[in-house]
Amino acid sequence: MTDDRGRVLQVGPLMPSLAETLRGTYGALVLPDGGDERAAFLAARGSEVVAAVTSGRAGVGTGLMTALPRLGAVINFGVGYDTTDVALARSRGVKVSHTPDVLTDCVADTALGLTLDLLRGLSAADRFVRAGRWPEAGTFPLMRRVSGARVGILGLGRIGRAIATRFAAMGCPISYHSRHEVPGTGHVYAPSPVELAAAVDVLVVATSGGAGTRGLVDRSVLKALGPRGYLINIARGTVVDEDALVEMLTAGELAGAGLDVFAAEPQVPDALLGMDNVVLLPHLASGTLETRAEMERLTLGNLASFLGGGDLLTPVPELR
Ligand code: 8YV
C-alpha cells in the first residue's frame, strides 16, 4: 500500500481486475453513481482526489471536474475521451491520458467483421437456420459481395488506417474524408463527407467523438450513401444522426447498417431490433482478453507515471 489512499478516484464502471488494482494498490475511492450520495461524497472527499480513473462510458465532465479542486489528471481507459471535458482540463492544467494504439487492431477487426456480417447477411442467416427456415425456404437470399466493394472511411486516424489496410487486402478501392488530406496513403481523398458517401458502397465511421464530430453523418450524408449503401459505425453513436438513420432504414433508403455504438448506450432504438439488414453490437470493438489486458496495463502505467513524477505516458493529442 502506498500513501496514495484517497487520492485516486474510480469514476464509473471499470474492468474488475483494474478496479481491484486501484482499490488494493492505491486505496482508490469509488464515486457513487449519482444523486445525494454522490453529492455528499464529493463534498466530503472531493478535495483529496488528485487522479481520476475512468472510461469513455463515464468520463470526467464539467460538473465532476469542478467538484475535484485538486485534480491533476484524468486517466482514461479507452482511446475515446469525449465524455471528459478536455477544454476545462486544459484551462485548469489537468492532464488527460488515453489508451491509443493497443486497441487499434481489434477495433479495425470489428469494422471488418461488421461489414462481412452485414453485406453477406451472416447473423441473419444464422437466425434463419436456427428458426428452422432452411428446409422450407430452400435457399437464403443472395447478398452483396465484400471483396472489391468500394469502401469509404470517415476519419483516417490510426484506426481508420488499420481499417483501410484490411479492406485493401480484400481488393476494395478505398477513399476517405478527414479534416486534412493525409499524404502518401494511396487512397482517394474526398473533400466532404457527402462526396465520400456518394462514391462508396460501404461508409465506415472511424472519427473521434465529441462536439467536433457530433452529427457529422447527417441526413444529407446518408442520402448520398443511398439505398444500395451500407453504414458501419465503430466510432461513437453521436457522430451519426441516429433518428435519420432509423427513419431511412425503415423507409428502405439505405441498404443496411452495422453498429457497435449508439447515441444513448446501452439503449438501442426499438425500430432497429426487428431489422434483418442491421447488425447490432453492444460496443464491444476493443473487447478481447488480449486488448483489454493491454489497455489495463497502459491505464495503470499512466496512473503510476502521473503519481510518480507528474507526467503521463500517453496524453491525449490536445494536451500534449
Ligand atoms: C471503451 C472505446 O473505452 O476505446 C474506446 O474509445 O470505445 C472502448 O474501448 C471500452 O469499451 C471501455 O468503456
Side-chain angles (χ1 to χ4, degrees), residues 50-141:
V50 299
V53 183
T54 189
S55 79
R57 280 168 72 180
V60 179
T62 317
L64 178 56
M65 205 176 287
T66 307
L68 302 172
R70 290 180 57 221
L71 187 69
V74 176
I75 313 289
N76 186 61
F77 176 88
V79 69
Y81 46 88
D82 47 304
T83 47
T84 286
D85 187 341
V86 175
L88 179 59
R90 180 194 282 113
S91 73
R92 277 187 41 187
V94 174
K95 299 177 176 182
V96 182
S97 70
H98 65 153
T99 61
D101 299 317
V102 294
L103 46 63
T104 298
D105 283 334
C106 276
V107 177
D109 292 351
T110 303
L112 179 63
L114 269 175
T115 307
L116 284 163
D117 189 335
L118 183 63
L119 272 70
R120 299 300 308 273
L122 302 183
S123 292
D126 178 83
R127 288 190 290 274
F128 169 90
V129 172
R130 286 172 199 266
R133 291 172 50 207
W134 190 5
E136 125 250 347
T139 54
F140 188 73

Side-chain angles (χ1 to χ4, degrees), residues 72 79 95 123 201 204 238 264 272 298:
V79 69
K95 299 177 176 182
S123 292
D201 303 300
V204 184
T238 51
L272 297 180
L298 189 49

Side-chain angles (χ1 to χ4, degrees), residues 2-226:
T2 67
D3 60 0
D4 295 313
R5 184 170 280 279
R7 299 173 69 216
V8 176
L9 178 67
Q10 176 184 337
V11 179
L14 293 172
M15 58 190 278
S17 53
L18 175 56
E20 179 47 35
T21 304
L22 294 179
R23 196 191 59 73
T25 305
Y26 295 99
L29 305 170
V30 179
L31 183 68
D33 271 352
D36 294 347
E37 203 193 338
R38 181 175 176 131
F41 171 91
L42 288 170
R45 311 292 303 264
S47 60
E48 293 168 43
V49 173
V50 299
V53 183
T54 189
S55 79
R57 280 168 72 180
V60 179
T62 317
L64 178 56
M65 205 176 287
T66 307
L68 302 172
R70 290 180 57 221
L71 187 69
V74 176
I75 313 289
N76 186 61
F77 176 88
V79 69
Y81 46 88
D82 47 304
T83 47
T84 286
D85 187 341
V86 175
L88 179 59
R90 180 194 282 113
S91 73
R92 277 187 41 187
V94 174
K95 299 177 176 182
V96 182
S97 70
H98 65 153
T99 61
D101 299 317
V102 294
L103 46 63
T104 298
D105 283 334
C106 276
V107 177
D109 292 351
T110 303
L112 179 63
L114 269 175
T115 307
L116 284 163
D117 189 335
L118 183 63
L119 272 70
R120 299 300 308 273
L122 302 183
S123 292
D126 178 83
R127 288 190 290 274
F128 169 90
V129 172
R130 286 172 199 266
R133 291 172 50 207
W134 190 5
E136 125 250 347
T139 54
F140 188 73
L142 300 182
M143 302 301 289
R144 292 277 294 278
R145 179 161 57 191
V146 180
S147 289
R150 296 168 303 164
V151 173
I153 300 177
L154 188 59
L156 203 68
R158 281 174 288 244
I159 293 173
R161 285 195 294 268
I163 294 170
T165 304
R166 283 154 176 75
F167 281 109
M170 296 179 67
C172 298
I174 311 290
S175 46
Y176 72 97
H177 173 76
S178 261
R179 271 167 304 181
H180 310 289
E181 189 167 353
V182 185
T185 63
H187 309 317
V188 176
Y189 180 70
S192 72
V194 167
E195 284 156 283
L196 179 66
V200 299
D201 303 300
V202 182
L203 179 64
V204 184
V205 183
T207 61
S208 51
T213 56
R214 184 174 295 276
L216 186 64
V217 178
D218 60 12
R219 193 178 292 273
S220 66
V221 175
L222 297 173
K223 285 252 184 250
L225 190 56

